[in-house]
Amino acid sequence: MSQQTLIFCYGTLKRGFPNHTLIEDLISHNDAVFIGSYVTDLHLPLVQGPYGVPFLLNLPGSSPHRVQGELYSVSISGLQRLDELEGITLGHYERLPITLRSEDSGLIEAEAYYAHRSFAEEMWRKCGEEGYDAYSEELGKGYVRRDLRPNNASLRDAIDLFCSQ
């Protein structure tokens, strides 16, 4: 079996959200498998940035919440597609280790896409240091798909503007 990476999805990649179609495609090509529902072991901020995009902030202890999400086992080629969606090379997110817990299996080590460290603290302040325990259907209503966003600015431009206002 090829090398697999455990990926924690807490936002638009979850079932029922707009970018889950990528996960479904990975599953259909044997590049991903659903493992289960998990929560973060640490209390981490989950906020909503520009265009309603969810960001998990690597600021342990800043929030009272453990964040809920889904765990997938993903192949190397699947990981490349996720990295591209998450804008790893564009400074949107960075994939870093995370410890998760479930009711059944205790603690497990995985990776998650955190807001890039270059703006995480400023985004937390901009969001009034208020976060969520889950990216819910209600929050998802504020999400603007990529094809409906302005063409003249990148997500990183929108993040910088969001954080500076």
Side-chain angles (χ1 to χ4, degrees):
M1 187 167 171
S2 66
Q3 183 179 347
Q4 301 283 304
T5 302
L6 294 176
I7 296 291
F8 179 65
C9 299
Y10 57 84
T12 63
L13 286 167
K14 293 190 311 181
R15 291 173 294 181
F17 291 90
N19 290 324
H20 188 70
T21 53
L22 173 56
I23 295 286
E24 290 172 341
D25 188 56
L26 295 179
I27 290 171
S28 73
H29 290 91
N30 296 317
D31 283 317
V33 175
F34 176 72
I35 304 295
S37 296
Y38 285 76
V39 297
T40 59
D41 182 45
L42 296 176
H43 295 93
L44 295 166
L46 172 64
V47 298
Q48 217 172 1
Y51 306 120
V53 173
F55 290 95
L56 185 64
L57 308 178
N58 193 12
L59 302 171
S62 299
S63 169
H65 303 293
R66 286 191 168 102
V67 176
Q68 301 170 28
E70 299 172 354
L71 187 64
Y72 293 87
S73 178
V74 181
S75 71
I76 292 172
S77 62
L79 202 54
Q80 290 170 342
R81 291 184 62 196
L82 289 174
D83 283 354
E84 183 180 335
L85 174 81
E86 301 294 4
I88 294 296
T89 62
L90 304 173
H92 301 167
Y93 292 89
E94 49 190 343
R95 183 166 36 89
L96 299 169
I98 192 166
T99 303
L100 305 171
R101 57 173 60 202
S102 78
E103 293 179 17
D104 315 347
S105 61
L107 298 179
I108 189 167
E109 296 299 318
E111 293 182 0
Y113 292 96
Y114 291 92
H116 195 275
R117 68 190 74 192
S118 63
F119 65 82
E121 287 184 29
E122 190 58 42
M123 184 167 281
W124 181 231
R125 281 191 292 276
K126 178 64 182 168
C127 291
E129 298 186 1
E130 296 272 330
Y132 306 98
D133 66 349
Y135 187 69
S136 63
E137 281 185 40
E138 190 62 32
L139 288 176
K141 290 177 184 176
Y143 180 74
V144 178
R145 293 189 339 247
R146 288 175 185 215
D147 59 329
L148 298 177
R149 297 177 194 162
N151 291 332
N152 59 348
S154 69
L155 178 59
R156 186 54 200 244
D157 292 337
I159 290 167
D160 292 342
L161 182 63
F162 178 88
C163 289
S164 69
Q165 291 182 337

